[in-house]
């Protein structure tokens, strides 16, 4: 509930953050850090606590103070600044400058950043300070939006979701390659060591060492654009666009045809990428032939190396109009080639859902992780599963059978 001065009351039982943090602000700040982590920033627990302490020392109700506190504590290098700017603008609302301003509270359930006036009391001496420190509460509609079903969003909420998805980053699990690089620790590099000895004329020299080079695994996204997936297709494809920009990601659309759309999604601007994709995909909102198209993918690209050792993600509700046995056979082929097979189903989040559709039931035995894909929070968990994070909330194959 908003109070008369624009603050928001703490719900009963809510725990506060560090001393000085406004009521309820800790949950919003943690949600902002979670969004940064989904965008690819290395927001550790230590950095998060430093951020909360910095906001508590500054003025938590001032947008500029929150911005600079997060930039100083949550960014690990120059490469993080662009993503930080985009996530901050999407989470707290775009603003032409970072100057503190009063933001009026919005009616529930959508919440906004609200600030109790930090300037002098009206009618008092010019430039007079308030009796106490400014009291404010941070609340962002982005935190509410994270858990909303994409199919239920209105036009304004979809626009905000697109801004958050544009800052996403999707990286596969790291793998050790056959190439080696010089390192301080690791196996002895005999060639470099012998060359160093020869350069010194046989005098003792320090042993040269090398280590395996680690690279992220390739990620392959198969996005269902059939009629049953129409409410989710735009969000999933924008998620795929962010993944392509992060690198080493291939994207295919599946419906009645298989279309490789990696080139169209490589545009820097998300709207231009979506326009190019719309012109390239001829089977929008059509039927679904998962088994036949998966076989085409494996025969044309997967068997030749694209799926070999990769993390393959299928984004579909599993409604198959073709032969379910064909889908099951092709899923077994895919599972034998790929490092990990993940299925993201937007319908999984609905109450009482069970994988009873013929296509979904045939594919599940060959799926390593079965996750939801209906909301921004679900896509964040999907990114964690692809990344191999221990906290990725996935339903693994053992849990499926149980």
């Amino acid at each position: 509930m908003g109070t008369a001065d624009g603050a928001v009351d703490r719900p009963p039982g809510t725990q506060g953050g560090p001393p000085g943090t406004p009521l309820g602000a800790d949950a919003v700040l943690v949600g902002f850090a979670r969004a940064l982590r989904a965008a690819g920033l290395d927001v550790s627990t230590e950095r998060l606590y430093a951020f909360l302490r910095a906001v508590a020392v500054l003025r938590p109700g001032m947008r500029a103070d929150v911005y600079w506190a997060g930039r100083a504590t949550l960014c690990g290098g120059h490469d993080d600044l662009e993503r930080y700017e985009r996530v901050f603008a999407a989470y707290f609302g775009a603003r032409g400058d970072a100057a503190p301003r009063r933001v009026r509270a919005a009616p529930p359930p959508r919440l906004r950043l609200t600030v109790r006036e930090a300037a002098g009391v009206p009618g008092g001496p010019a430039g007079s300070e308030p009796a106490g420190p400014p009291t404010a509460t941070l609340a962002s509609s982005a935190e509410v939006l994270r858990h909303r079903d994409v199919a239920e969003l209105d036009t304004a909420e979809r626009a905000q979701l697109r801004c958050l998805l544009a800052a996403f980053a999707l990286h596969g699990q790291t793998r050790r390659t056959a190439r080696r690089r010089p390192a301080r620790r690791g196996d002895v590099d005999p060639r470099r060591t012998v060359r160093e000895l020869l350069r010194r004329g046989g005098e003792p020299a320090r042993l040269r060492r090398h280590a395996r080079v680690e690279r992220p695994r390739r990620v392959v996204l198969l996005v269902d654009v059939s009629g049953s997936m129409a409410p989710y297709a735009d969000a999933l494809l924008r998620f795929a666009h962010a993944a392509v920009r992060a690198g080493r990601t291939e994207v295919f659309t599946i419906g009645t045809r298989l279309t490789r759309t990696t080139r169209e999604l490589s545009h820097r601007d998300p709207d231009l990428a979506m326009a190019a994709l719309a012109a390239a995909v001829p089977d929008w909102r059509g039927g679904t032939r998962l088994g036949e198209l998966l076989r085409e993918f494996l025969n044309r690209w997967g068997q030749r190396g694209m799926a070999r050792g990769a993390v393959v993600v299928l984004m579909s509700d599993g409604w198959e109009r073709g032969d379910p046995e064909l889908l099951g056979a092709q899923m077994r082929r895919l599972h034998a080639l790929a490092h990990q097979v993940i299925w993201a189903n937007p319908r999984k989040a609905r109450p009482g859902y069970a994988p009873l559709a013929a296509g979904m039931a045939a594919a599940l035995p060959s799926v390593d992780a079965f996750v939801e894909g209906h909301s921004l929070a679900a896509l964040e968990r999907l990114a964690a599963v692809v990344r191999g994070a221990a906290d990725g909330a996935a339903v693994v194959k053992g849990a499926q059978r149980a």
Side-chain angles (χ1 to χ4, degrees):
M1 292 289 297
T3 60
D5 54 5
V8 178
D9 296 333
R10 178 198 297 270
T14 302
Q15 298 296 325
T21 305
L23 304 180
D26 52 347
V28 178
L29 297 177
V30 171
F32 173 54
R34 191 184 297 117
L36 289 173
R37 189 181 293 119
L41 274 70
D42 183 17
V43 181
S44 62
T45 304
E46 293 77 10
R47 288 185 178 180
L48 173 58
Y49 189 68
F51 172 51
L52 296 177
R53 291 179 61 188
V55 172
V57 171
L58 298 173
R59 297 170 295 177
M62 295 301 177
R63 185 175 186 271
D65 287 2
V66 175
Y67 170 84
W68 289 110
R71 177 164 170 158
T73 57
L74 300 177
C75 295
H78 183 74
D79 296 338
D80 293 342
L81 296 181
E82 179 183 358
R83 288 176 182 168
Y84 178 84
E85 296 276 355
R86 296 170 67 180
V87 174
F88 188 90
Y91 198 87
F92 293 110
R95 195 69 71 75
D97 51 49
R101 296 185 182 179
R102 177 195 292 262
V103 182
R104 299 183 179 275
R110 299 182 62 191
L111 302 176
R112 290 287 188 268
L113 174 65
T114 59
V115 181
R116 181 176 293 172
E117 185 63 54
V121 179
S128 61
E129 296 295 330
T135 304
T137 300
L138 287 176
S140 175
S141 60
E143 184 62 21
V144 179
L145 183 65
R146 288 182 62 254
H147 302 279
R148 293 278 305 279
D149 193 307
V150 173
E152 300 175 356
L153 302 181
D154 57 28
T155 303
E157 291 169 335
R158 287 181 179 274
Q160 187 177 7
L161 177 67
R162 291 169 181 173
C163 294
L164 290 170
L165 287 173
F168 247 82
L170 185 67
H171 300 284
Q173 305 171 24
T174 58
R175 64 180 181 88
R176 297 175 64 189
T177 65
R179 301 187 62 180
R180 296 177 182 269
R181 59 174 176 78
R184 293 184 178 182
R185 298 178 181 179
D187 300 332
V188 175
D189 187 343
R191 296 184 178 180
R192 293 178 62 239
T193 301
V194 170
R195 285 199 298 267
E196 182 66 17
L197 290 172
L198 293 176
R199 190 177 67 85
R200 292 176 174 267
E203 294 294 330
R206 179 180 299 178
L207 294 177
R208 301 298 178 178
R209 299 181 181 275
H210 57 189
R212 292 281 186 89
V213 176
E214 292 188 351
R215 291 182 179 176
R217 292 184 180 274
R218 178 186 290 110
V219 179
V220 180
L221 303 179
L222 303 176
V223 185
D224 189 345
V225 294
S226 62
S228 61
M229 288 288 292
Y232 303 96
D234 181 78
L236 295 179
L237 289 171
R238 289 178 181 273
F239 174 83
H241 169 261
V244 170
R245 289 200 56 201
R248 292 189 64 80
T249 300
E250 293 285 344
V251 181
F252 294 81
T253 59
I254 52 178
T256 57
R257 299 185 183 183
L258 177 71
T259 308
R260 186 180 183 182
T261 58
T262 307
R263 181 177 179 180
E264 285 74 15
L265 292 176
S266 62
H267 288 283
R268 182 180 181 87
D269 185 86
D271 294 329
L272 291 178
M274 294 300 294
L277 186 142
V281 177
D283 54 339
W284 284 98
R285 302 193 178 193
T288 311
R289 298 188 299 126
L290 295 177
E292 297 178 24
L293 298 183
L294 187 56
R295 179 175 60 185
E296 179 181 347
F297 165 75
L298 292 173
N299 291 341
R300 188 173 179 182
W301 284 288
Q303 198 76 37
R304 297 182 179 182
M306 183 177 291
R308 194 179 303 276
V311 179
V312 181
V313 183
L314 293 98
M315 299 178 171
S316 173
D317 53 11
W319 289 6
E320 169 66 301
R321 292 188 177 182
D323 185 4
E325 295 183 0
L326 175 61
L327 176 59
Q330 300 308 312
M331 286 296 297
R332 289 190 290 272
R333 286 181 60 194
L334 176 62
H335 190 265
L337 283 174
H339 173 74
Q340 186 179 22
V341 178
I342 304 171
W343 195 298
N345 189 336
R347 312 287 178 181
K348 184 177 183 292
R350 297 187 176 181
Y353 171 83
L356 302 179
M360 196 72 256
L364 273 183
S366 301
V367 173
D368 296 309
F370 185 37
V371 301
E372 302 170 355
H374 69 295
S375 66
L376 181 63
L379 294 177
E380 290 175 359
R381 291 193 292 271
L382 170 61
V385 175
V386 173
R387 191 170 60 247
D391 60 345
V395 180
V396 295
K397 184 162 58 178
Q400 299 163 6
R401 293 178 177 176

